[in-house]
Amino acid sequence: MNAGKTIVRRGLTGSGVATLLLAASFVVLGSPTTPSTLLLISWLVVVGSAMVAAGHRERVSIGSTTLGWPRVAAIAIALLAIGWAAVSVAGLLANETVTGLGPLEAVLTVGVVGYFAWFARECWVGGASLDEETFTVD
């Protein structure tokens, strides 16, 4: 495994574990009874699990389809970006932003979601801007 691939895969694993811990914190510290909280927890579990799977397995079977780790990572990161945007927009519309930064959160969201979208595309296509060897499936 080359250095770039090692860094990306370890980053996926660490991010996935952190995302799963965040989901667990909602369960342990709160009372996940509202549909929106349950949806948020489910989203975090799906994203975190997909990131951990992409970080640890070369290929992941989903039903009758087998995907290489870069495609699984791309799906997880895209779901993360979509969810982040949805939570941020909902907070901005309700004037209750997650970060407490108010309108500045819109700028933060555009930057973060843009980066996630770019990186998800890199994973999906196997490296348009980054080294192709980073996204090889052994």
Side-chain angles (χ1 to χ4, degrees), residues 22-75:
L22 180 61
S25 73
F26 277 103
V27 174
V28 172
L29 301 175
S31 55
T33 56
T34 64
S36 61
T37 304
L38 292 172
L39 180 64
L40 178 68
I41 292 168
S42 300
W43 164 65
L44 290 170
V45 168
V46 168
V47 169
S49 299
M51 286 183 164
V52 169
H56 278 287
R57 300 183 52 102
E58 285 294 316
R59 292 175 180 78
V60 177
S61 294
I62 302 171
S64 62
T65 304
T66 301
L67 297 174
W69 74 266
R71 295 277 169 107
V72 175
I75 292 167

Side-chain angles (χ1 to χ4, degrees), residues 3 17 24 28 41 49-51 54 83 87 90-94 102-103 108-109 111 117 121 127 129:
V17 168
V28 172
I41 292 168
S49 299
M51 286 183 164
V87 168
L92 286 167
L93 292 175
L108 177 67
T109 296
R121 181 182 176 277
S129 300

